[in-house]
Amino acid sequence: MNLAGRAATVRLPIGLKARWRTGGLPGTHKQPELKRMKSLQGLGAALINPHYDTLGAGITKPNFLSTPKTVSVIGAPLSWGQPLAGTDHGPELLRKEGLLNCLTGLEWRVENEGDVEVQPPNPSDPVPDEGLIGGKAKNCYCVGKGLNKIFDKVTQAHKKSNFVLTLGGDHSISTASVAATIAHRPETGIIWVDAHGDLNTPASSPSGNMHGMPLGLLMGLCDTSLLPGFEWLKNAPVLRPEQIVFVGLRDLDAGERDIIRSSGIRAYTMQHVDRWGIGKVMDMALDHLRNAD
Protein backbone atom coordinates (compact mmCIF):
# COMPACT_ATOMS: atom_id res chain seq x y z
CA MET A 1 0.00 0.00 0.00
CA ASN A 2 1.65 3.23 -1.10
CA LEU A 3 1.10 6.30 1.04
CA ALA A 4 2.77 9.52 0.00
CA GLY A 5 3.62 12.62 1.94
CA ARG A 6 6.68 11.30 3.69
CA ALA A 7 5.42 7.84 4.58
CA ALA A 8 4.97 5.41 1.76
CA THR A 9 4.75 1.70 2.28
CA VAL A 10 2.58 0.49 5.13
CA ARG A 11 0.82 -2.68 6.17
CA LEU A 12 -2.34 -2.99 8.20
CA PRO A 13 -1.53 -4.07 11.79
CA ILE A 14 -2.15 -7.69 12.67
CA GLY A 15 -4.62 -8.52 15.42
CA LEU A 16 -6.79 -5.41 15.44
CA LYS A 17 -9.51 -5.88 18.01
CA ALA A 18 -11.89 -3.68 16.04
CA ARG A 19 -14.35 -5.80 14.10
CA TRP A 20 -15.17 -4.36 10.69
CA ARG A 21 -18.75 -5.02 9.69
CA THR A 22 -21.21 -3.88 7.05
CA GLY A 23 -24.09 -6.15 8.11
CA GLY A 24 -25.55 -7.68 11.23
CA LEU A 25 -23.79 -9.67 13.89
CA PRO A 26 -23.65 -13.45 13.41
CA GLY A 27 -26.99 -15.05 14.21
CA THR A 28 -28.97 -11.79 14.04
CA HIS A 29 -30.79 -9.83 11.40
CA LYS A 30 -30.36 -6.44 13.03
CA GLN A 31 -27.74 -3.88 12.23
CA PRO A 32 -25.61 -3.42 15.39
CA GLU A 33 -25.18 -0.02 16.90
CA LEU A 34 -22.19 1.53 15.16
CA LYS A 35 -19.99 4.36 16.23
CA ARG A 36 -18.08 6.61 13.84
CA MET A 37 -14.51 6.93 15.00
CA LYS A 38 -13.87 10.63 14.50
CA SER A 39 -10.24 10.01 15.42
CA LEU A 40 -9.80 8.51 11.95
CA GLN A 41 -11.74 11.18 10.08
CA GLY A 42 -10.18 11.74 6.69
CA LEU A 43 -8.21 8.59 6.02
CA GLY A 44 -10.73 5.77 6.34
CA ALA A 45 -13.02 6.87 9.16
CA ALA A 46 -14.17 3.47 10.39
CA LEU A 47 -17.57 2.26 11.49
CA ILE A 48 -17.03 -0.14 14.37
CA ASN A 49 -18.93 -1.64 17.27
CA PRO A 50 -18.59 0.86 20.16
CA HIS A 51 -17.38 -1.70 22.73
CA TYR A 52 -14.22 -2.49 20.76
CA ASP A 53 -10.93 -0.66 21.18
CA THR A 54 -10.34 2.66 19.44
CA LEU A 55 -7.75 2.87 16.68
CA GLY A 56 -5.48 5.76 17.54
CA ALA A 57 -4.91 9.40 16.71
CA GLY A 58 -6.48 11.25 13.82
CA ILE A 59 -5.00 11.12 10.33
CA THR A 60 -5.59 13.96 7.90
CA LYS A 61 -6.36 12.97 4.31
CA PRO A 62 -3.30 13.81 2.17
CA ASN A 63 -3.99 16.64 -0.25
CA PHE A 64 -2.83 14.57 -3.23
CA LEU A 65 -5.84 12.25 -2.93
CA SER A 66 -9.06 12.82 -4.83
CA THR A 67 -12.36 13.67 -3.14
CA PRO A 68 -14.19 11.47 -2.37
CA LYS A 69 -11.15 9.45 -1.41
CA THR A 70 -10.74 6.55 -3.82
CA VAL A 71 -8.48 3.50 -3.74
CA SER A 72 -7.39 1.70 -6.90
CA VAL A 73 -6.88 -2.00 -6.15
CA ILE A 74 -4.43 -3.57 -8.61
CA GLY A 75 -3.62 -7.27 -8.67
CA ALA A 76 -0.05 -8.25 -9.54
CA PRO A 77 -0.08 -12.08 -9.77
CA LEU A 78 3.65 -12.56 -10.25
CA SER A 79 5.58 -15.56 -8.95
CA TRP A 80 8.71 -15.86 -11.10
CA GLY A 81 10.90 -13.62 -8.96
CA GLN A 82 11.30 -16.45 -6.45
CA PRO A 83 11.27 -20.26 -6.58
CA LEU A 84 8.08 -21.21 -4.70
CA ALA A 85 4.70 -21.74 -6.34
CA GLY A 86 1.58 -19.98 -5.12
CA THR A 87 2.49 -16.32 -4.64
CA ASP A 88 0.58 -15.45 -7.80
CA HIS A 89 -2.66 -16.43 -6.01
CA GLY A 90 -2.24 -13.59 -3.49
CA PRO A 91 -4.50 -11.03 -5.22
CA GLU A 92 -7.28 -13.57 -5.79
CA LEU A 93 -7.23 -14.80 -2.18
CA LEU A 94 -7.17 -11.29 -0.69
CA ARG A 95 -10.22 -10.29 -2.69
CA LYS A 96 -11.96 -13.59 -1.89
CA GLU A 97 -11.45 -13.04 1.84
CA GLY A 98 -13.29 -9.71 1.73
CA LEU A 99 -10.62 -7.06 1.20
CA LEU A 100 -12.83 -4.88 -1.01
CA ASN A 101 -15.67 -4.94 1.51
CA CYS A 102 -13.22 -3.99 4.26
CA LEU A 103 -12.09 -0.98 2.25
CA THR A 104 -15.70 0.06 1.65
CA GLY A 105 -16.33 -0.32 5.38
CA LEU A 106 -13.47 2.12 5.96
CA GLU A 107 -15.40 4.60 3.78
CA TRP A 108 -13.24 4.39 0.69
CA ARG A 109 -14.62 4.41 -2.79
CA VAL A 110 -13.10 1.30 -4.39
CA GLU A 111 -12.01 0.94 -8.00
CA ASN A 112 -11.13 -2.71 -8.56
CA GLU A 113 -8.67 -2.57 -11.45
CA GLY A 114 -8.42 -6.35 -11.85
CA ASP A 115 -5.13 -8.21 -12.33
CA VAL A 116 -2.19 -7.37 -14.57
CA GLU A 117 -1.55 -10.18 -17.03
CA VAL A 118 1.94 -11.59 -16.49
CA GLN A 119 3.50 -14.06 -18.91
CA PRO A 120 5.52 -17.03 -17.60
CA PRO A 121 9.16 -17.65 -18.59
CA ASN A 122 9.85 -19.00 -22.05
CA PRO A 123 12.95 -20.91 -23.18
CA SER A 124 13.41 -18.32 -25.93
CA ASP A 125 13.55 -15.40 -23.47
CA PRO A 126 16.77 -13.36 -23.67
CA VAL A 127 19.11 -13.77 -20.72
CA PRO A 128 21.60 -11.30 -19.25
CA ASP A 129 25.32 -11.63 -19.76
CA GLU A 130 26.49 -12.89 -16.36
CA GLY A 131 29.96 -11.56 -17.02
CA LEU A 132 28.62 -8.03 -17.48
CA ILE A 133 26.20 -8.06 -14.54
CA GLY A 134 28.56 -9.94 -12.24
CA GLY A 135 26.13 -12.70 -11.26
CA LYS A 136 22.72 -14.22 -11.91
CA ALA A 137 19.27 -12.71 -12.48
CA LYS A 138 16.86 -15.63 -12.74
CA ASN A 139 13.79 -15.26 -14.98
CA CYS A 140 14.96 -11.73 -15.56
CA TYR A 141 13.10 -11.12 -18.82
CA CYS A 142 9.62 -12.32 -17.83
CA VAL A 143 9.84 -10.64 -14.42
CA GLY A 144 10.97 -7.36 -15.96
CA LYS A 145 8.25 -7.40 -18.61
CA GLY A 146 5.61 -8.17 -15.99
CA LEU A 147 6.87 -5.36 -13.78
CA ASN A 148 6.69 -2.93 -16.70
CA LYS A 149 2.97 -3.71 -17.04
CA ILE A 150 2.47 -3.23 -13.29
CA PHE A 151 4.38 0.07 -13.45
CA ASP A 152 2.08 1.32 -16.22
CA LYS A 153 -1.07 0.26 -14.32
CA VAL A 154 0.03 1.93 -11.08
CA THR A 155 1.03 5.07 -13.00
CA GLN A 156 -2.46 5.33 -14.52
CA ALA A 157 -4.05 5.08 -11.07
CA HIS A 158 -1.77 7.79 -9.65
CA LYS A 159 -2.76 10.11 -12.48
CA LYS A 160 -6.35 9.88 -11.23
CA SER A 161 -5.19 11.05 -7.77
CA ASN A 162 -6.20 7.71 -6.28
CA PHE A 163 -4.59 5.87 -3.41
CA VAL A 164 -2.97 2.79 -4.98
CA LEU A 165 -3.11 -0.60 -3.26
CA THR A 166 -1.08 -3.20 -5.15
CA LEU A 167 -1.76 -6.83 -4.24
CA GLY A 168 0.75 -9.59 -4.79
CA GLY A 169 2.97 -12.03 -2.98
CA ASP A 170 6.27 -11.98 -4.87
CA HIS A 171 8.38 -9.12 -3.49
CA SER A 172 9.56 -8.32 -7.01
CA ILE A 173 6.37 -6.35 -7.66
CA SER A 174 7.51 -3.55 -5.36
CA THR A 175 10.11 -2.60 -7.96
CA ALA A 176 7.22 -1.50 -10.17
CA SER A 177 4.83 -0.08 -7.56
CA VAL A 178 7.50 2.02 -5.82
CA ALA A 179 9.02 3.21 -9.13
CA ALA A 180 5.62 4.39 -10.32
CA THR A 181 4.94 6.15 -7.02
CA ILE A 182 8.21 8.08 -6.84
CA ALA A 183 7.87 8.98 -10.52
CA HIS A 184 4.53 10.60 -9.69
CA ARG A 185 5.47 11.99 -6.25
CA PRO A 186 9.28 12.16 -5.92
CA GLU A 187 9.11 13.18 -2.23
CA THR A 188 7.50 9.89 -1.20
CA GLY A 189 9.15 7.96 1.63
CA ILE A 190 9.22 4.19 1.94
CA ILE A 191 8.68 2.19 5.15
CA TRP A 192 9.93 -1.27 4.22
CA VAL A 193 8.43 -3.79 6.67
CA ASP A 194 10.33 -7.01 6.06
CA ALA A 195 12.70 -9.49 7.65
CA HIS A 196 14.98 -9.08 4.64
CA GLY A 197 16.66 -6.08 3.07
CA ASP A 198 15.85 -6.78 -0.61
CA LEU A 199 18.90 -4.64 -1.44
CA ASN A 200 20.74 -7.17 -3.57
CA THR A 201 21.83 -6.87 -7.18
CA PRO A 202 22.81 -9.70 -9.54
CA ALA A 203 26.41 -9.21 -8.43
CA SER A 204 25.65 -9.51 -4.70
CA SER A 205 22.72 -11.93 -4.63
CA PRO A 206 23.61 -15.42 -3.33
CA SER A 207 20.61 -16.93 -5.17
CA GLY A 208 20.05 -14.75 -8.22
CA ASN A 209 16.32 -14.52 -7.38
CA MET A 210 14.80 -11.19 -8.42
CA HIS A 211 12.57 -10.91 -5.31
CA GLY A 212 15.67 -10.05 -3.29
CA MET A 213 16.61 -7.11 -5.53
CA PRO A 214 13.78 -4.51 -5.57
CA LEU A 215 15.54 -1.84 -3.51
CA GLY A 216 18.89 -2.56 -5.11
CA LEU A 217 17.37 -1.90 -8.52
CA LEU A 218 15.37 1.13 -7.37
CA MET A 219 18.48 2.71 -5.82
CA GLY A 220 20.43 2.27 -9.05
CA LEU A 221 22.99 -0.08 -7.51
CA CYS A 222 23.35 -1.84 -10.85
CA ASP A 223 22.91 -0.96 -14.52
CA THR A 224 19.35 -2.09 -15.27
CA SER A 225 19.87 -1.58 -19.00
CA LEU A 226 21.94 -4.79 -18.88
CA LEU A 227 18.92 -6.74 -17.57
CA PRO A 228 16.62 -7.87 -20.41
CA GLY A 229 13.06 -6.82 -19.59
CA PHE A 230 14.14 -4.05 -17.22
CA GLU A 231 15.05 -1.41 -19.80
CA TRP A 232 12.00 0.65 -18.71
CA LEU A 233 13.47 1.15 -15.23
CA LYS A 234 16.38 3.17 -16.62
CA ASN A 235 14.03 6.17 -16.98
CA ALA A 236 12.55 5.92 -13.47
CA PRO A 237 13.77 8.19 -10.65
CA VAL A 238 16.46 6.78 -8.38
CA LEU A 239 15.31 6.07 -4.83
CA ARG A 240 17.53 7.91 -2.32
CA PRO A 241 18.74 6.29 0.95
CA GLU A 242 17.08 8.99 3.06
CA GLN A 243 13.71 8.02 1.58
CA ILE A 244 13.87 4.52 3.08
CA VAL A 245 13.28 3.17 6.57
CA PHE A 246 13.52 -0.55 7.31
CA VAL A 247 11.30 -2.05 10.00
CA GLY A 248 11.58 -5.63 11.26
CA LEU A 249 14.93 -6.70 9.81
CA ARG A 250 16.33 -9.98 11.07
CA ASP A 251 18.05 -11.72 8.13
CA LEU A 252 20.47 -9.70 5.97
CA ASP A 253 23.02 -10.83 3.44
CA ALA A 254 26.52 -9.47 3.99
CA GLY A 255 26.28 -7.16 0.98
CA GLU A 256 22.96 -5.73 2.17
CA ARG A 257 24.41 -5.01 5.60
CA ASP A 258 27.30 -3.12 4.01
CA ILE A 259 24.94 -1.04 1.86
CA ILE A 260 22.76 -0.07 4.83
CA ARG A 261 25.82 1.04 6.81
CA SER A 262 27.60 2.86 4.00
CA SER A 263 24.52 4.68 2.69
CA GLY A 264 23.09 5.58 6.10
CA ILE A 265 19.67 4.01 5.56
CA ARG A 266 17.62 4.14 8.77
CA ALA A 267 17.01 0.56 9.91
CA TYR A 268 15.06 -0.95 12.81
CA THR A 269 15.51 -4.67 13.45
CA MET A 270 13.23 -7.09 15.26
CA GLN A 271 15.36 -6.42 18.34
CA HIS A 272 14.25 -2.77 18.20
CA VAL A 273 10.62 -3.84 17.81
CA ASP A 274 10.90 -6.21 20.78
CA ARG A 275 12.60 -3.58 22.92
CA TRP A 276 10.47 -0.52 22.13
CA GLY A 277 7.26 -1.94 20.62
CA ILE A 278 6.00 -1.48 17.10
CA GLY A 279 4.20 1.78 17.91
CA LYS A 280 7.38 3.54 19.04
CA VAL A 281 9.35 2.15 16.11
CA MET A 282 6.78 3.37 13.60
CA ASP A 283 6.73 6.81 15.24
CA MET A 284 10.51 7.02 14.86
CA ALA A 285 10.31 5.83 11.25
CA LEU A 286 7.75 8.49 10.38
CA ASP A 287 9.72 11.21 12.19
CA HIS A 288 12.81 10.29 10.21
CA LEU A 289 10.97 10.51 6.88
CA ARG A 290 9.26 13.80 7.79
CA ASN A 291 12.64 15.33 8.57
CA ALA A 292 14.42 13.94 5.50
CA ASP A 293 15.78 16.50 3.07
Side-chain angles (χ1 to χ4, degrees), residues 195-260:
H196 309 104
D198 295 342
L199 273 166
N200 276 307
T201 66
S204 66
S205 172
S207 67
N209 292 322
M210 301 301 298
H211 74 152
M213 304 184 194
L215 286 177
L217 300 180
L218 289 163
M219 292 178 65
L221 301 181
C222 70
D223 185 354
T224 57
S225 67
L226 299 176
L227 301 176
F230 281 84
E231 296 85 359
W232 60 273
L233 191 55
K234 190 72 174 178
N235 297 321
V238 174
L239 186 65
R240 305 186 311 275
E242 61 269 22
Q243 291 179 270
I244 306 167
V245 178
F246 285 111
V247 172
L249 291 175
R250 62 171 175 78
D251 184 12
L252 293 172
D253 295 323
E256 293 177 317
R257 189 177 293 108
D258 291 342
I259 292 168
I260 291 172

Side-chain angles (χ1 to χ4, degrees), residues 65-138:
L65 287 179
S66 59
T67 301
K69 58 184 186 292
T70 303
V71 55
S72 288
V73 180
I74 299 172
L78 187 73
S79 65
W80 305 107
Q82 50 80 56
L84 302 178
T87 58
D88 51 324
H89 295 299
E92 174 190 1
L93 293 174
L94 287 167
R95 291 190 182 98
K96 182 179 178 180
E97 292 301 318
L99 173 65
L100 303 185
N101 286 337
C102 286
L103 294 171
T104 302
L106 289 169
E107 298 188 340
W108 284 85
R109 177 174 293 181
V110 177
E111 292 184 2
N112 185 8
E113 305 282 359
D115 290 352
V116 176
E117 184 177 351
V118 180
Q119 297 299 323
N122 188 289
S124 64
D125 288 346
V127 296
D129 185 325
E130 294 184 6
L132 290 177
I133 65 173
K136 294 182 181 296
K138 295 178 181 176

Side-chain angles (χ1 to χ4, degrees), residues 192-197 245-252 257 260-261 265-278 280-282 284-285:
W192 198 272
V193 183
D194 204 321
H196 309 104
V245 178
F246 285 111
V247 172
L249 291 175
R250 62 171 175 78
D251 184 12
L252 293 172
R257 189 177 293 108
I260 291 172
R261 288 172 174 167
I265 298 174
R266 182 62 57 91
Y268 297 103
T269 68
M270 280 306 302
Q271 289 181 324
H272 294 115
V273 175
D274 291 340
R275 182 183 307 148
W276 296 321
I278 189 61
K280 176 64 174 177
V281 169
M282 295 303 290
M284 293 189 291

Side-chain angles (χ1 to χ4, degrees), residues 140-158:
C140 175
Y141 184 74
C142 76
V143 171
K145 286 295 185 182
L147 295 181
N148 194 1
K149 292 181 179 181
I150 297 167
F151 174 89
D152 290 342
K153 194 80 169 178
V154 173
T155 297
Q156 292 169 11
H158 278 309

